[in-house]
Amino acid sequence: MTADEPPVTADEPPVTADEPSATADARPVTADERFMALALDQARLAAEHGDIPVGAVIARHGEVLAAAHNERELRSDPTAHAELVALRAAASALGSWRVLECTLYVTLEPCAMCAGAIVLARVPEVVFAAADPKAGAAGSVLDVLGDARLNHRPLVRSGPLAAESARLLREFFAARR
Ligand SMILES: [Zn+2]
C-alpha cells in the first residue's frame, strides 16, 4: 500500500470479486480465505491507531509464521507497511533473510517497495485481496512481482476476500472525510 490518497474510491471499487466471498456456509473455506481472514483481522488493528487498514500474514506449512499490519502512522515510518513488518518478523523467526516455503497474504496489492522486498526475500508465493489501481506493483501500475528480468518471481494469486478488504478501506477513508 501507499497512500496519501485513498487507494480505493467509493464510486469505483477496484475489486473484481462480484460479491463477498465469505459465504462460508455455502461451501468450505479455502486455505487462502482462512489466512486472508487473519490478514483482514490485522488490517482492522491498523485502523485502530489511525493507519490505513492493510494487514499481512505469512504462512508456512499451513501455520502462521508472522502477522502484522500497517504501522506507518504509529511509528512515523514510511517503510512500516504491513508486508515489510511481517517479512522482518518472518525472517527473524526463520533466522534467515530468505523467507522460503512461505506464502505471504496481504489485504491490498503490494506497492513497489513491498513487492521489491518480497522479491529480495525470495518469497515463493503471494496472495493479495483487493487490487490497488493507484500504486499496486503486482500488475496494476507496475508488475514487480511478475517481471522476468528479476532473479525471482513468486507465484501470485489475487481475489480472496477482495470485497471485504475494499470495504474496510472505503469505510476507513469515508470516516476520515
Ligand atoms: Zn507497501
Side-chain angles (χ1 to χ4, degrees):
M1 51 135 303
T2 62
D4 304 306
E5 287 184 17
V8 283
T9 59
D11 24 55
E12 192 185 17
V15 268
T16 45
D18 9 340
E19 57 184 51
S21 38
T23 47
D25 12 69
R27 58 182 173 73
V29 174
T30 66
D32 277 359
E33 288 165 344
R34 187 163 63 88
F35 287 116
M36 194 62 80
L38 295 174
L40 273 171
D41 289 343
Q42 287 290 320
R44 291 184 188 97
L45 295 176
E48 284 181 11
H49 44 73
D51 270 290
I52 295 167
V54 179
V57 162
I58 296 177
R60 187 167 194 265
H61 304 162
E63 300 198 344
V64 174
L65 177 66
H69 53 269
N70 178 27
E71 295 184 344
R72 189 178 60 167
E73 301 291 344
L74 184 70
R75 298 196 205 177
S76 299
D77 178 354
T79 74
H81 289 187
E83 301 95 308
L84 283 201
V85 178
L87 277 172
R88 288 193 184 108
S92 176
L94 292 171
S96 167
W97 58 265
R98 291 182 189 84
V99 180
L100 303 177
E101 299 175 39
C102 289
T103 301
L104 185 149
Y105 293 88
V106 60
T107 57
L108 184 64
E109 182 180 356
C111 73
M113 173 183 72
C114 293
I118 286 164
V119 170
L120 292 176
R122 312 286 193 266
V123 177
E125 194 172 47
V126 174
V127 183
F128 67 85
D132 185 351
K134 292 192 175 166
S140 287
V141 178
L142 301 170
D143 194 4
V144 173
L145 296 184
D147 195 319
R149 294 169 297 182
L150 300 177
N151 65 346
H152 174 75
R153 250 184 308 164
L155 294 172
V156 178
R157 296 193 294 281
S158 62
L161 307 195
E164 287 86 339
S165 173
R167 185 184 319 119
L168 192 61
L169 288 160
R170 277 198 304 271
E171 286 169 0
F172 177 80
F173 287 112
R176 296 211 309 181
R177 272 186 206 112

